[in-house]
Amino acid sequence: MFSISENLRQVRSRLALACAAAHRGVDDVTLLAVSKTCPAEAVRAAHAAGQRAFGENYVQEALDKIAALADMRAGLEWHLIGPLQSNKTRVVAESFDWVHAVDRLKIAERLSSQRPQHLPALNICLQVNVSGEASKSGVAPAELPALAHAVAGLPRLRLRGLMSIPEPVEGLGAQRAPHRELHRWFDKLVQSGLALDTLSMGMSADLEAAVLEGANLVRVGTAIFGARARTGG
Ligand SMILES: *Cc1c(COP(=O)(O)O)cnc(C)c1O
């Protein structure tokens, strides 16, 4: 029977097995529950089952949900994981804790200048277009170092790391390849002096591959909340 708490229990046990296989501690990986298209009540149920971090793709839908759950705002961490247009940066800077899909300096500059002073710096991951990705979004690897250093210098942002959305493929070996590549770019940036701590990769279908390649934040929707009526992002 469909139950968010039972699904969460299963995802946590998948994560624990993957961490054991990777010789990593289970606390090393943060589970981000992707609640896009789900009602606020689903977030409430997941929170009651111990989940704290939630990911959303669509800005207006997310703002409605954040407002509906304002009574528990302090116990929730909201991550925008979908694409962000420049006309929406102000509401995002005012309402979210993290933004994962930044791939342009202009968006980062707007988020920094619009982040309210009473809030802590906004956590940022840069989306990288790793090899084999069909999507047009994400910064090209060749342009990543310059973008990362520029974003790291913005006063109201805290650059935390990198994220990617590889093409879905079957099989652990094929799933691992793009995650390994993102980890290599992450290491290069750390070697160049950036204090990054977040590798946001892996979803319902490939979280094991991502954990084996060093992911420390996995974004899981379907495996927690069930299949979505509306897809994409
Ligand atoms: C929807 C989405 C996810 C979750 O995908 P599932 O396959 O449902 O786990 C993760 N990351 C991003 C960027 C998404 O848009």
Side-chain angles (χ1 to χ4, degrees), residues 8-42:
L8 263 174
R9 201 188 59 73
Q10 283 180 17
V11 168
R12 289 188 191 118
S13 88
R14 276 177 70 187
L15 272 178
L17 283 172
C19 286
H23 306 290
R24 301 175 57 193
V26 70
D27 293 340
D28 194 34
V29 183
T30 298
L31 174 60
L32 180 67
V34 177
S35 47
K36 63 182 174 203
T37 79
C38 299
E41 289 321 306

mmCIF file of all heavy atoms in Angstrom, residues 8-42:
data_model
loop_
_atom_site.group_PDB
_atom_site.id
_atom_site.type_symbol
_atom_site.label_atom_id
_atom_site.label_comp_id
_atom_site.label_asym_id
_atom_site.label_seq_id
_atom_site.Cartn_x
_atom_site.Cartn_y
_atom_site.Cartn_z
ATOM 1 N N LEU A 8 9.665 6.242 2.556
ATOM 2 C CA LEU A 8 10.852 6.896 3.119
ATOM 3 C C LEU A 8 11.748 5.868 3.801
ATOM 4 O O LEU A 8 12.974 5.913 3.673
ATOM 5 C CB LEU A 8 10.431 7.949 4.148
ATOM 6 C CG LEU A 8 10.355 9.397 3.676
ATOM 7 C CD1 LEU A 8 9.777 10.254 4.792
ATOM 8 C CD2 LEU A 8 11.721 9.920 3.243
ATOM 9 N N ARG A 9 11.111 4.943 4.525
ATOM 10 C CA ARG A 9 11.888 3.907 5.197
ATOM 11 C C ARG A 9 12.674 3.085 4.175
ATOM 12 O O ARG A 9 13.847 2.780 4.364
ATOM 13 C CB ARG A 9 10.932 3.012 5.997
ATOM 14 C CG ARG A 9 11.575 2.222 7.127
ATOM 15 C CD ARG A 9 10.595 1.215 7.727
ATOM 16 N NE ARG A 9 10.106 0.254 6.732
ATOM 17 C CZ ARG A 9 10.813 -0.732 6.208
ATOM 18 N NH1 ARG A 9 12.063 -0.922 6.579
ATOM 19 N NH2 ARG A 9 10.287 -1.538 5.295
ATOM 20 N N GLN A 10 12.022 2.770 3.043
ATOM 21 C CA GLN A 10 12.715 1.980 2.017
ATOM 22 C C GLN A 10 13.845 2.763 1.353
ATOM 23 O O GLN A 10 14.907 2.211 1.074
ATOM 24 C CB GLN A 10 11.714 1.514 0.954
ATOM 25 C CG GLN A 10 10.873 0.338 1.441
ATOM 26 C CD GLN A 10 9.881 -0.141 0.391
ATOM 27 O OE1 GLN A 10 10.013 0.177 -0.789
ATOM 28 N NE2 GLN A 10 8.885 -0.890 0.818
ATOM 29 N N VAL A 11 13.611 4.057 1.106
ATOM 30 C CA VAL A 11 14.675 4.868 0.488
ATOM 31 C C VAL A 11 15.859 4.987 1.450
ATOM 32 O O VAL A 11 17.018 4.887 1.042
ATOM 33 C CB VAL A 11 14.142 6.259 0.090
ATOM 34 C CG1 VAL A 11 15.271 7.202 -0.277
ATOM 35 C CG2 VAL A 11 13.165 6.125 -1.079
ATOM 36 N N ARG A 12 15.561 5.184 2.728
ATOM 37 C CA ARG A 12 16.661 5.279 3.704
ATOM 38 C C ARG A 12 17.440 3.968 3.774
ATOM 39 O O ARG A 12 18.658 3.976 3.933
ATOM 40 C CB ARG A 12 16.119 5.628 5.090
ATOM 41 C CG ARG A 12 15.616 7.067 5.180
ATOM 42 C CD ARG A 12 15.281 7.432 6.635
ATOM 43 N NE ARG A 12 14.569 8.703 6.703
ATOM 44 C CZ ARG A 12 13.329 8.849 7.186
ATOM 45 N NH1 ARG A 12 12.658 7.791 7.648
ATOM 46 N NH2 ARG A 12 12.761 10.028 7.203
ATOM 47 N N SER A 13 16.744 2.839 3.624
ATOM 48 C CA SER A 13 17.497 1.587 3.687
ATOM 49 C C SER A 13 18.297 1.376 2.396
ATOM 50 O O SER A 13 19.413 0.864 2.445
ATOM 51 C CB SER A 13 16.602 0.407 4.074
ATOM 52 O OG SER A 13 16.029 -0.172 2.953
ATOM 53 N N ARG A 14 17.769 1.820 1.246
ATOM 54 C CA ARG A 14 18.593 1.797 0.018
ATOM 55 C C ARG A 14 19.845 2.650 0.207
ATOM 56 O O ARG A 14 20.949 2.258 -0.192
ATOM 57 C CB ARG A 14 17.795 2.367 -1.167
ATOM 58 C CG ARG A 14 16.891 1.370 -1.861
ATOM 59 C CD ARG A 14 16.094 2.056 -2.974
ATOM 60 N NE ARG A 14 16.911 2.463 -4.123
ATOM 61 C CZ ARG A 14 16.437 3.200 -5.140
ATOM 62 N NH1 ARG A 14 15.166 3.592 -5.149
ATOM 63 N NH2 ARG A 14 17.223 3.532 -6.133
ATOM 64 N N LEU A 15 19.671 3.828 0.804
ATOM 65 C CA LEU A 15 20.816 4.716 1.022
ATOM 66 C C LEU A 15 21.832 4.075 1.967
ATOM 67 O O LEU A 15 23.044 4.170 1.733
ATOM 68 C CB LEU A 15 20.345 6.046 1.615
ATOM 69 C CG LEU A 15 19.934 7.137 0.633
ATOM 70 C CD1 LEU A 15 19.447 8.362 1.394
ATOM 71 C CD2 LEU A 15 21.099 7.506 -0.290
ATOM 72 N N ALA A 16 21.329 3.435 3.014
ATOM 73 C CA ALA A 16 22.242 2.808 3.980
ATOM 74 C C ALA A 16 23.047 1.692 3.315
ATOM 75 O O ALA A 16 24.255 1.566 3.535
ATOM 76 C CB ALA A 16 21.452 2.268 5.172
ATOM 77 N N LEU A 17 22.377 0.886 2.467
ATOM 78 C CA LEU A 17 23.091 -0.187 1.760
ATOM 79 C C LEU A 17 24.122 0.393 0.805
ATOM 80 O O LEU A 17 25.243 -0.107 0.699
ATOM 81 C CB LEU A 17 22.092 -1.046 0.963
ATOM 82 C CG LEU A 17 21.272 -2.054 1.766
ATOM 83 C CD1 LEU A 17 20.193 -2.686 0.884
ATOM 84 C CD2 LEU A 17 22.189 -3.133 2.340
ATOM 85 N N ALA A 18 23.736 1.467 0.086
ATOM 86 C CA ALA A 18 24.666 2.083 -0.860
ATOM 87 C C ALA A 18 25.872 2.667 -0.126
ATOM 88 O O ALA A 18 27.011 2.539 -0.582
ATOM 89 C CB ALA A 18 23.952 3.174 -1.671
ATOM 90 N N CYS A 19 25.626 3.300 1.019
ATOM 91 C CA CYS A 19 26.731 3.866 1.796
ATOM 92 C C CYS A 19 27.657 2.757 2.291
ATOM 93 O O CYS A 19 28.884 2.895 2.247
ATOM 94 C CB CYS A 19 26.205 4.674 2.982
ATOM 95 S SG CYS A 19 25.498 6.255 2.498
ATOM 96 N N ALA A 20 27.069 1.638 2.731
ATOM 97 C CA ALA A 20 27.899 0.523 3.194
ATOM 98 C C ALA A 20 28.752 -0.004 2.047
ATOM 99 O O ALA A 20 29.949 -0.256 2.205
ATOM 100 C CB ALA A 20 27.012 -0.583 3.776
ATOM 101 N N ALA A 21 28.141 -0.148 0.853
ATOM 102 C CA ALA A 21 28.890 -0.653 -0.299
ATOM 103 C C ALA A 21 30.022 0.296 -0.687
ATOM 104 O O ALA A 21 31.052 -0.120 -1.204
ATOM 105 C CB ALA A 21 27.946 -0.858 -1.484
ATOM 106 N N ALA A 22 29.815 1.590 -0.433
ATOM 107 C CA ALA A 22 30.825 2.597 -0.795
ATOM 108 C C ALA A 22 31.789 2.857 0.359
ATOM 109 O O ALA A 22 32.630 3.742 0.248
ATOM 110 C CB ALA A 22 30.127 3.889 -1.213
ATOM 111 N N HIS A 23 31.653 2.108 1.448
ATOM 112 C CA HIS A 23 32.476 2.317 2.651
ATOM 113 C C HIS A 23 32.366 3.750 3.145
ATOM 114 O O HIS A 23 33.349 4.403 3.465
ATOM 115 C CB HIS A 23 33.945 1.939 2.379
ATOM 116 C CG HIS A 23 34.099 0.552 1.837
ATOM 117 N ND1 HIS A 23 33.868 -0.574 2.584
ATOM 118 C CD2 HIS A 23 34.397 0.119 0.593
ATOM 119 C CE1 HIS A 23 34.044 -1.646 1.834
ATOM 120 N NE2 HIS A 23 34.352 -1.257 0.617
ATOM 121 N N ARG A 24 31.133 4.232 3.147
ATOM 122 C CA ARG A 24 30.899 5.587 3.640
ATOM 123 C C ARG A 24 29.882 5.524 4.775
ATOM 124 O O ARG A 24 29.053 4.618 4.819
ATOM 125 C CB ARG A 24 30.339 6.475 2.502
ATOM 126 C CG ARG A 24 31.279 6.548 1.301
ATOM 127 C CD ARG A 24 30.656 7.324 0.165
ATOM 128 N NE ARG A 24 30.281 8.667 0.599
ATOM 129 C CZ ARG A 24 29.489 9.474 -0.104
ATOM 130 N NH1 ARG A 24 28.978 9.080 -1.240
ATOM 131 N NH2 ARG A 24 29.211 10.686 0.344
ATOM 132 N N GLY A 25 29.940 6.507 5.646
ATOM 133 C CA GLY A 25 28.979 6.574 6.733
ATOM 134 C C GLY A 25 27.630 7.026 6.198
ATOM 135 O O GLY A 25 27.556 7.827 5.270
ATOM 136 N N VAL A 26 26.551 6.514 6.766
ATOM 137 C CA VAL A 26 25.222 6.855 6.262
ATOM 138 C C VAL A 26 24.895 8.331 6.504
ATOM 139 O O VAL A 26 24.159 8.955 5.733
ATOM 140 C CB VAL A 26 24.161 5.910 6.864
ATOM 141 C CG1 VAL A 26 23.940 6.170 8.344
ATOM 142 C CG2 VAL A 26 22.845 6.017 6.094
ATOM 143 N N ASP A 27 25.492 8.912 7.524
ATOM 144 C CA ASP A 27 25.258 10.339 7.789
ATOM 145 C C ASP A 27 25.963 11.242 6.789
ATOM 146 O O ASP A 27 25.772 12.453 6.802
ATOM 147 C CB ASP A 27 25.731 10.696 9.205
ATOM 148 C CG ASP A 27 24.876 10.011 10.256
ATOM 149 O OD1 ASP A 27 23.754 9.615 9.928
ATOM 150 O OD2 ASP A 27 25.360 9.873 11.403
ATOM 151 N N ASP A 28 26.773 10.657 5.939
ATOM 152 C CA ASP A 28 27.514 11.425 4.941
ATOM 153 C C ASP A 28 26.604 11.885 3.802
ATOM 154 O O ASP A 28 26.964 12.776 3.039
ATOM 155 C CB ASP A 28 28.638 10.529 4.390
ATOM 156 C CG ASP A 28 29.671 11.315 3.602
ATOM 157 O OD1 ASP A 28 29.911 12.472 3.978
ATOM 158 O OD2 ASP A 28 30.209 10.766 2.620
ATOM 159 N N VAL A 29 25.418 11.269 3.667
ATOM 160 C CA VAL A 29 24.545 11.576 2.524
ATOM 161 C C VAL A 29 23.219 12.157 3.016
ATOM 162 O O VAL A 29 22.503 11.521 3.791
ATOM 163 C CB VAL A 29 24.278 10.315 1.669
ATOM 164 C CG1 VAL A 29 23.428 10.675 0.453
ATOM 165 C CG2 VAL A 29 25.591 9.677 1.230
ATOM 166 N N THR A 30 22.911 13.353 2.543
ATOM 167 C CA THR A 30 21.641 14.001 2.869
ATOM 168 C C THR A 30 20.580 13.580 1.859
ATOM 169 O O THR A 30 20.834 13.591 0.651
ATOM 170 C CB THR A 30 21.797 15.534 2.820
ATOM 171 O OG1 THR A 30 22.749 15.922 3.809
ATOM 172 C CG2 THR A 30 20.473 16.241 3.082
ATOM 173 N N LEU A 31 19.420 13.216 2.367
ATOM 174 C CA LEU A 31 18.297 12.882 1.486
ATOM 175 C C LEU A 31 17.432 14.119 1.281
ATOM 176 O O LEU A 31 16.895 14.678 2.235
ATOM 177 C CB LEU A 31 17.471 11.754 2.119
ATOM 178 C CG LEU A 31 16.173 11.387 1.384
ATOM 179 C CD1 LEU A 31 16.446 10.932 -0.044
ATOM 180 C CD2 LEU A 31 15.418 10.304 2.156
ATOM 181 N N LEU A 32 17.344 14.546 0.017
ATOM 182 C CA LEU A 32 16.446 15.643 -0.341
ATOM 183 C C LEU A 32 15.184 15.022 -0.933
ATOM 184 O O LEU A 32 15.249 14.316 -1.944
ATOM 185 C CB LEU A 32 17.133 16.564 -1.364
ATOM 186 C CG LEU A 32 16.313 17.753 -1.844
ATOM 187 C CD1 LEU A 32 16.078 18.741 -0.707
ATOM 188 C CD2 LEU A 32 17.023 18.455 -3.003
ATOM 189 N N ALA A 33 14.045 15.246 -0.304
ATOM 190 C CA ALA A 33 12.773 14.692 -0.784
ATOM 191 C C ALA A 33 12.183 15.659 -1.813
ATOM 192 O O ALA A 33 11.870 16.803 -1.489
ATOM 193 C CB ALA A 33 11.806 14.504 0.375
ATOM 194 N N VAL A 34 12.069 15.205 -3.062
ATOM 195 C CA VAL A 34 11.591 16.070 -4.137
ATOM 196 C C VAL A 34 10.067 16.018 -4.186
ATOM 197 O O VAL A 34 9.477 15.030 -4.625
ATOM 198 C CB VAL A 34 12.209 15.664 -5.489
ATOM 199 C CG1 VAL A 34 11.648 16.518 -6.617
ATOM 200 C CG2 VAL A 34 13.739 15.802 -5.419
ATOM 201 N N SER A 35 9.449 17.098 -3.723
ATOM 202 C CA SER A 35 7.998 17.116 -3.519
ATOM 203 C C SER A 35 7.245 17.852 -4.622
ATOM 204 O O SER A 35 6.056 18.158 -4.461
ATOM 205 C CB SER A 35 7.683 17.732 -2.156
ATOM 206 O OG SER A 35 8.417 18.927 -1.948
ATOM 207 N N LYS A 36 7.907 18.124 -5.744
ATOM 208 C CA LYS A 36 7.221 18.796 -6.865
ATOM 209 C C LYS A 36 5.961 18.022 -7.256
ATOM 210 O O LYS A 36 5.986 16.790 -7.281
ATOM 211 C CB LYS A 36 8.152 18.912 -8.069
ATOM 212 C CG LYS A 36 8.582 17.587 -8.651
ATOM 213 C CD LYS A 36 9.548 17.779 -9.818
ATOM 214 C CE LYS A 36 10.075 16.447 -10.303
ATOM 215 N NZ LYS A 36 11.341 16.532 -11.001
ATOM 216 N N THR A 37 4.920 18.747 -7.564
ATOM 217 C CA THR A 37 3.591 18.237 -7.949
ATOM 218 C C THR A 37 2.832 17.573 -6.782
ATOM 219 O O THR A 37 1.684 17.190 -6.942
ATOM 220 C CB THR A 37 3.594 17.263 -9.154
ATOM 221 O OG1 THR A 37 3.995 15.966 -8.716
ATOM 222 C CG2 THR A 37 4.472 17.736 -10.299
ATOM 223 N N CYS A 38 3.465 17.438 -5.622
ATOM 224 C CA CYS A 38 2.778 16.834 -4.470
ATOM 225 C C CYS A 38 2.113 17.928 -3.641
ATOM 226 O O CYS A 38 2.629 19.024 -3.519
ATOM 227 C CB CYS A 38 3.770 16.099 -3.573
ATOM 228 S SG CYS A 38 4.609 14.754 -4.383
ATOM 229 N N PRO A 39 0.988 17.618 -3.010
ATOM 230 C CA PRO A 39 0.334 18.620 -2.166
ATOM 231 C C PRO A 39 1.120 18.875 -0.879
ATOM 232 O O PRO A 39 1.946 18.060 -0.461
ATOM 233 C CB PRO A 39 -1.025 17.980 -1.852
ATOM 234 C CG PRO A 39 -0.804 16.516 -2.012
ATOM 235 C CD PRO A 39 0.248 16.355 -3.069
ATOM 236 N N ALA A 40 0.823 19.995 -0.240
ATOM 237 C CA ALA A 40 1.483 20.343 1.024
ATOM 238 C C ALA A 40 1.312 19.241 2.059
ATOM 239 O O ALA A 40 2.216 18.995 2.868
ATOM 240 C CB ALA A 40 0.927 21.668 1.541
ATOM 241 N N GLU A 41 0.160 18.557 2.015
ATOM 242 C CA GLU A 41 -0.076 17.501 3.009
ATOM 243 C C GLU A 41 0.937 16.360 2.889
ATOM 244 O O GLU A 41 1.248 15.690 3.874
ATOM 245 C CB GLU A 41 -1.507 16.961 2.890
ATOM 246 C CG GLU A 41 -2.571 17.943 3.374
ATOM 247 C CD GLU A 41 -2.140 18.714 4.623
ATOM 248 O OE1 GLU A 41 -1.767 18.066 5.621
ATOM 249 O OE2 GLU A 41 -2.167 19.964 4.607
ATOM 250 N N ALA A 42 1.434 16.124 1.652
ATOM 251 C CA ALA A 42 2.452 15.081 1.472
ATOM 252 C C ALA A 42 3.757 15.490 2.149
ATOM 253 O O ALA A 42 4.465 14.654 2.733
ATOM 254 C CB ALA A 42 2.675 14.815 -0.020
#
